[in-house]
Amino acid sequence: MAPFRDALTKAWVSKGQRLTDDIYGGTMNGLTKCMNTIYKGFRSSSYVFVEGKPNVTILSSTHSKKLIIEDSIAKGITVYAPNGEELDFFAKKEVIVSSGVFESPKLLLLSGIGPEAELKAHGITQIVDSPHVGQNLLDHPILAHVFRLKDGLGLEDHLLRAGPAKDGAVEQYRKNRGGPLGSGLLELVGFPRVDEWFAQSKELVKEKERNGGVDPFGPGGQPHFEIDFVVSFLSPNSISKLTNISANVLRCLPMAYSYPCRRKLGDRHRRSPATTFQEWRSEAQFSQCIRPTKHQLELLLP
């Protein structure tokens, strides 16, 4: 997929956007190559690293209820087993909380770690006063575009239809686990900031002024939006279907876009994430999605 990546990288840089090899170091800004658990053409889950190790036990379909805290020290955790039974596990050395962006703060809140008012509202005794737990989630919109490619430029012949192209792709994969069949297809992801574009929007300028001169959509340098570059493998003859897909995606954007959202604790025994996703509440939020759309079109259709 090198030609695909090289062409997009060239187009990205031509628009004055930066490249990055690290979006996990605190600043998510730039075009980056996707991180995949694919080795020599084989995709695997992260659990493979600990599979078969006698000192590691993995419990599936098991949900954390709360941390077991004694004398302000986490000693273990209480979980719900698949049959609903509560089990306690105690650590010999340390407890690592790694449940993701939603479930990690939820577990801390259920364990009494968080802002007092939020915990009190749900009858949870506060153990550690940490006012920012469950607060200040700032997400960004993902732009969904579907483009019709010229005949012969898609990957449907290599991945879907029987014929010479697919036979060649299969042979290449068998030879060195490379080619289209060895790719995750999501090759590149862009996380741009477009401050100069937002400065041209009256709505966004007013929103920034109301926020004390701080960019409300990326106060800490966060990207203004995300672009997922997926190699197309759909037939150009399916343009009517693609148009319907595009329309459906655009209709869903207001609900999928989470503007500075607040973690909602909800029932302290519920096992699914409870997050408040807000629809666009102002012209500024709407403009934050519409203006990057023009940026994406100029990037891909120079």
Side-chain angles (χ1 to χ4, degrees), residues 47-88:
Y47 80 90
V48 174
F49 177 74
V50 296
E51 189 177 32
K53 294 188 176 181
N55 61 327
V56 176
T57 300
I58 299 175
L59 303 179
S60 62
S61 303
T62 301
H63 301 268
S64 301
K65 178 183 179 183
K66 67 176 182 179
L67 297 170
I68 299 173
I69 301 176
E70 300 176 0
D71 299 326
S72 299
I73 298 176
K75 298 289 188 179
I77 188 169
T78 299
V79 302
Y80 292 107
N83 62 0
E85 181 184 3
E86 291 188 16
L87 302 174
D88 292 339

Side-chain angles (χ1 to χ4, degrees), residues 189-219:
V189 177
F191 298 98
R193 285 189 61 87
V194 287
D195 297 272
E196 67 281 2
W197 285 55
F198 284 2
Q200 301 172 25
S201 167
K202 295 180 180 179
E203 297 84 6
L204 291 170
V205 170
K206 291 180 180 179
E207 189 80 8
K208 186 175 181 179
E209 291 175 352
R210 285 194 292 266
N211 199 42
V214 178
D215 180 3
F217 303 108

Side-chain angles (χ1 to χ4, degrees), residues 169-273:
V170 172
E171 181 61 29
Q172 185 177 1
Y173 182 79
R174 288 174 176 172
K175 181 179 179 181
N176 58 13
R177 296 292 188 266
L181 294 177
S183 168
L185 299 185
L186 177 58
E187 292 277 333
L188 295 167
V189 177
F191 298 98
R193 285 189 61 87
V194 287
D195 297 272
E196 67 281 2
W197 285 55
F198 284 2
Q200 301 172 25
S201 167
K202 295 180 180 179
E203 297 84 6
L204 291 170
V205 170
K206 291 180 180 179
E207 189 80 8
K208 186 175 181 179
E209 291 175 352
R210 285 194 292 266
N211 199 42
V214 178
D215 180 3
F217 303 108
Q222 297 94 333
H224 286 129
F225 59 100
E226 173 182 338
I227 308 174
D228 293 343
F229 294 107
V230 183
V231 182
S232 173
F233 56 86
L234 293 175
S235 170
N237 296 326
S238 303
I239 185 63
S240 60
K241 295 181 180 179
L242 296 183
T243 302
N244 292 333
I245 292 174
S246 298
N248 289 333
V249 169
L250 291 174
R251 282 197 292 268
C252 291
L253 270 177
M255 291 302 296
Y257 169 54
S258 51
Y259 169 75
C261 14
R262 177 172 174 272
R263 184 86 178 105
K264 185 179 180 182
L265 185 57
D267 182 353
R268 66 172 178 167
H269 294 305
R270 63 183 299 169
R271 305 177 189 180
S272 58

